[in-house]
Amino acid sequence: MDRPAWAPEGVDMQQASPARMYDALLGGSHNFEVDRQAAAMGKKLVPDLPRVALSNRAFLRRAVRFMADAGIKQFLDIGSGIPTAGNVHEVAQSIDPEIRVHYVDIDPVAVAHANAILLSNDRATATEADLRKPEPLLDEVRRSGLIDFEQPVGLLLVAVLHLLADADQPADKVAALRAAVPAGSFVAISHLTSELRPEDAAQLGANAANQNRIGIHFRDRAGIETMFDGWDLVEPGVVELPAWRPESERDQHEAPGRSLGLAGVGRKI
Ligand code: SAM
């Protein structure tokens, strides 16, 4: 298969990636056959999987609006994914065009596509870095100068921490980021959970590991709540994705009691 223009050189077109699989689930066009097959297998096991992705995107939009309404002027979106409908800079800059957004992702396709669509936007950029190494990641972000770490930051860790293994100590990574931002900053976290549908979670996790060599770590409520240690949870706390401050019926992508994701927003005081 020829390498498409949007895929940077060196990308392995035979190995599925979480960013491209998620893009395929959302109906995007920046994915390879191997990603579409992985997404199709996930849908076969759990037919409402695309709804989980939509539910997560809807949470992301609401969390960004909430933070922008609370006065946040700059966002650091880590594990930002391949740009799709309702990107953070679009949501935030529609509220205040001066808002700045720094996207970070480990996936070169996500970063290349983000920078391609941001060419004419001098208040948003994207950088390739690894959440498992917060200090070099923060150094990269500081170097670009878009985020002022003396001012409150809207930190977005949406659907990324479940891609870190327990050995990566995801809660410690959140704590390291928390230490880098001032009081008044917010964090939004969403995370795949085994809490409500343990069998579906186990099947999806095993399939991703065995078929696609991707580690997806569904965690229980306690494991996810730990990631908010040191943050003051805003109402309604850590809840199912569609239950976090829904704005309309259209936010109800998953049935109550059936979400595969938990989400919350915390404030640093
Ligand atoms: N945040 C977006 C959203 O919720 O719509 C995209 C979520 S997507 C499921 C997860 C993203 O996290 C992927 O783009 C993947 O490349 C990225 N990711 C995975 N591990 C990462 C790491 N260690 N550091 C930075 N990004 C990572």
Side-chain angles (χ1 to χ4, degrees):
M1 189 193 3
D2 289 342
R3 186 175 57 84
W6 49 260
E9 262 178 64
V11 171
D12 183 351
M13 296 196 294
Q14 308 304 324
Q15 166 64 43
S17 92
R20 287 184 271 110
M21 263 172 69
Y22 184 65
D23 181 67
L25 272 180
L26 287 167
S29 56
H30 292 80
N31 48 71
F32 304 129
E33 182 58 27
V34 68
D35 305 304
R36 291 188 285 278
Q37 278 177 8
M41 179 52 94
K43 276 192 278 186
K44 202 169 160 196
L45 293 172
V46 175
D48 60 345
L49 198 55
R51 292 193 153 269
V52 184
L54 288 174
S55 191
N56 181 64
R57 289 298 293 180
F59 163 71
L60 172 63
R61 281 195 289 275
R62 298 195 301 277
V64 169
R65 273 201 287 266
F66 170 84
M67 293 184 198
D69 287 345
I72 291 293
K73 299 291 178 210
Q74 45 179 7
F75 287 86
L76 177 54
D77 182 359
I78 303 178
S80 47
I82 295 171
T84 178
N87 294 304
V88 170
H89 70 284
E90 293 160 349
V91 175
Q93 291 175 352
S94 73
I95 294 169
D96 177 353
E98 297 299 318
I99 287 177
R100 285 160 283 128
V101 180
H102 197 133
Y103 293 111
V104 173
D105 203 285
I106 202 171
D107 190 299
V109 171
V111 175
H113 185 42
N115 278 323
I117 67 165
L118 293 172
L119 270 179
S120 60
N121 191 328
D122 60 6
R123 287 179 305 284
T125 191
T127 300
E128 194 175 319
D130 186 345
L131 173 57
R132 291 169 299 182
K133 297 175 185 154
E135 289 312 326
L137 182 154
L138 287 164
D139 285 346
E140 285 282 332
V141 174
R142 285 191 193 98
R143 241 193 306 279
S144 101
L146 198 61
I147 302 291
D148 174 358
F149 283 90
E150 300 295 314
Q151 299 298 320
V153 176
L155 187 57
L156 305 172
L157 294 167
V158 177
V160 61
L161 289 161
H162 51 235
L163 296 167
L164 269 56
D166 289 350
D168 295 323
Q169 301 182 302
D172 287 1
K173 304 305 178 263
V174 183
L177 295 167
R178 181 180 164 276
V181 297
S185 296
F186 287 94
V187 69
I189 293 175
S190 69
H191 196 299
L192 285 171
T193 187
S194 53
E195 190 73 30
L196 301 163
R197 295 165 63 180
E199 283 167 18
D200 285 343
Q203 275 203 322
L204 285 170
N207 180 64
N210 299 337
Q211 302 295 320
N212 305 305
R213 287 180 284 138
I214 290 176
I216 304 183
H217 307 277
F218 289 74
R219 294 191 167 96
D220 63 12
R221 167 175 284 281
I224 296 168
E225 283 177 345
T226 305
M227 295 174 187
F228 287 97
D229 282 355
W231 299 87
D232 198 31
L233 276 172
V234 307
E235 286 297 321
V238 177
V239 293
E240 291 181 59
L241 283 167
W244 197 87
R245 296 181 180 239
E247 291 169 356
S248 76
E249 287 290 301
R250 293 174 60 203
D251 285 333
Q252 303 299 329
H253 293 285
E254 298 165 283
R258 298 277 302 158
S259 181
L260 276 171
L262 293 179
V265 171
R267 184 165 188 271
K268 181 168 174 177
I269 47 175

